[in-house]
Amino acid sequence: MQYICILIMITPTDYKEDEIYGQRLLINVNADQRELLSNIRAARAILNSFADVTIVINAHTMSFGHKNPEYTIDGQLGDRKGIMGEKGITAGFKAAKKQGCKIVVIDLDEHILQVRSFELSKYISRRKMDFASGMITACYVVFSGEAVVVNASVQTRQQIMSAIERLNPGAPTY
């Protein structure tokens, strides 16, 4: 069996700078056009909340039946998960790990109208072993143009819930 290795050189012309965040958000010209607006929106929320973060929206490729990670965040692969409800966090983490991601971006703006920090923190806390093993290093939660970052291996469920509550102050926690 022969294997062919294809080397792709990435040049600066393969990316365009974001009109708001410039070089902090680079967008590959071959990014998935179906999800591009959502990916840009979520990336901007992260950049808006974290001044020292840089994000690349990767080129879209299909390999071995599953799609590649959408982001490179501070040099680590990450994927945006537009969950339908809190229970979608489990499937989002599992899919991100299969894709080789170290970072999971939980995008609440895609389908969720209200942040339920109690429920979100419960499902993220259950992913503690993903963080403790090093398979996942960070989870960004995006809502209404803002983002928080959580890590269940170093934060208690209460700390995760408090962080998420900052996205929607005054909302019920249920």
Side-chain angles (χ1 to χ4, degrees):
M1 180 180 291
Q2 272 189 330
Y3 293 96
I4 299 172
C5 180
I6 300 173
L7 180 63
I8 300 172
M9 299 297 293
I10 297 176
T11 63
T13 58
D14 292 337
Y15 294 89
K16 63 179 184 173
E17 290 183 14
D18 180 59
E19 59 195 36
I20 297 172
Y21 289 98
Q23 291 186 348
R24 289 185 58 213
L25 177 55
L26 297 177
I27 304 161
N28 190 291
V29 296
N30 296 312
D32 184 353
Q33 295 300 306
R34 294 170 297 146
E35 296 185 356
L36 186 59
L37 293 178
S38 295
N39 289 339
I40 290 171
R41 178 191 38 74
R44 285 177 176 167
I46 294 168
L47 296 175
N48 180 48
S49 299
F50 298 96
D52 58 340
V53 171
T54 59
I55 299 176
V56 174
I57 296 179
N58 299 321
H60 179 66
T61 60
M62 289 290 285
S63 62
F64 304 111
H66 64 282
K67 56 190 207 112
N68 63 305
E70 290 149 335
Y71 298 128
T72 301
I73 301 173
D74 289 338
Q76 294 188 315
L77 291 177
D79 203 50
R80 181 184 63 81
K81 302 300 181 187
I83 62 171
M84 301 293 281
E86 292 84 359
K87 292 179 181 179
I89 288 172
T90 302
F93 269 74
K94 287 180 179 180
K97 290 187 318 183
K98 277 186 182 178
Q99 292 172 279
C101 294
K102 292 286 190 180
I103 297 174
V104 179
V105 177
I106 302 296
D107 182 4
L108 302 178
D109 286 331
E110 191 80 2
H111 302 288
I112 295 178
L113 300 175
Q114 184 177 15
V115 174
R116 298 182 339 162
S117 58
F118 182 82
E119 289 295 311
L120 286 166
S121 65
K122 176 173 69 175
Y123 286 98
I124 293 171
S125 293
R126 289 179 179 170
R127 308 310 307 171
K128 183 175 183 149
M129 287 309 301
D130 294 336
F131 291 98
S133 69
M135 289 190 79
I136 301 293
T137 59
C139 173
Y140 289 92
V141 181
V142 171
F143 183 73
S144 193
E146 299 288 328
V148 295
V149 65
V150 295
N151 183 323
S153 72
V154 295
Q155 291 174 298
T156 65
R157 179 174 174 192
Q158 182 62 44
Q159 290 169 323
I160 293 169
M161 189 167 93
S162 294
I164 294 169
E165 285 173 354
R166 292 195 309 258
L167 294 172
N168 197 15
T173 59
Y174 57 91

